């Protein structure tokens, strides 16, 4: 079995994402409500146009946090995922969250 099958979140990915979403400026608050896609997966939109999403999904029995760009299909008007994005394992997600303060400090230089 792959190594990542044994990795468990200390808290649920949804609650971690909710905490991040709560820190987004109020002008985006109405768009960041927890939603479900057509597959029943929990997602949060990162911008007003819903072209960037954070989705909590399971693939082959492993839970992931998928941060991905979407586009609106002109023929169906549905939001469709692109290849532009990253799907993080529990361990990678925890590492990224632990680096948030350091990344913010680096950005403000």
């Amino acid at each position: 079995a792959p190594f990542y099958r044994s990795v468990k979140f200390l808290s649920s990915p949804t609650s971690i994402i909710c905490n991040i979403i709560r820190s987004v400026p109020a002008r985006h608050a109405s768009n960041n409500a927890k939603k479900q896609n057509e597959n029943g997966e929990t997602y949060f939109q990162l911008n007003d146009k819903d072209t960037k999403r954070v989705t909590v999904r399971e693939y082959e029995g492993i839970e992931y946090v998928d941060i991905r760009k979407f586009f609106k299909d002109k023929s169906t008007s549905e939001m469709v995922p692109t290849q532009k994005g990253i799907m993080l394992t529990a361990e990678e997600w925890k590492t990224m969250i632990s680096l948030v303060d350091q990344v913010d400090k680096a950005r403000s230089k």
Side-chain angles (χ1 to χ4, degrees), residues 33-44 50 53-58 66 70 78-81:
K34 179 173 138 178
K35 300 177 183 180
Q36 282 196 325
N37 63 20
E38 59 281 351
N39 297 324
E41 299 165 327
T42 300
Y43 79 91
F44 304 88
D50 195 23
R53 294 183 183 178
V54 177
T55 306
V56 178
R57 67 172 29 111
E58 190 173 303
D66 187 16
F70 282 71
E78 292 181 17
M79 296 304 290
V80 181

Side-chain angles (χ1 to χ4, degrees), residues 22-34:
R22 283 187 201 107
S23 69
V24 173
R27 64 189 170 91
H28 296 294
S30 63
N31 294 329
N32 292 324
K34 179 173 138 178

Side-chain angles (χ1 to χ4, degrees), residues 20-21 24 28 31-32 44-54 67-68:
I20 292 170
I21 298 299
V24 173
H28 296 294
N31 294 329
N32 292 324
F44 304 88
Q45 65 184 70
L46 294 178
N47 60 7
D48 292 335
K49 296 179 182 180
D50 195 23
T51 57
K52 294 180 183 173
R53 294 183 183 178
V54 177
I67 304 168
R68 189 152 309 276

Side-chain angles (χ1 to χ4, degrees), residues 67-109:
I67 304 168
R68 189 152 309 276
K69 188 170 184 177
F70 282 71
F71 72 94
K72 191 170 191 172
D73 183 305
K74 292 180 183 178
S75 63
T76 64
S77 295
E78 292 181 17
M79 296 304 290
V80 181
T82 69
Q83 292 182 352
K84 295 180 180 180
I86 185 168
M87 198 157 73
L88 303 170
T89 63
E91 186 174 310
E92 292 165 333
W93 175 252
K94 287 188 290 186
T95 299
M96 188 181 88
I97 295 304
S98 73
L99 296 171
V100 169
D101 289 337
Q102 294 175 50
V103 171
D104 275 346
K105 287 177 185 172
R107 281 183 343 110
S108 60
K109 289 184 179 180

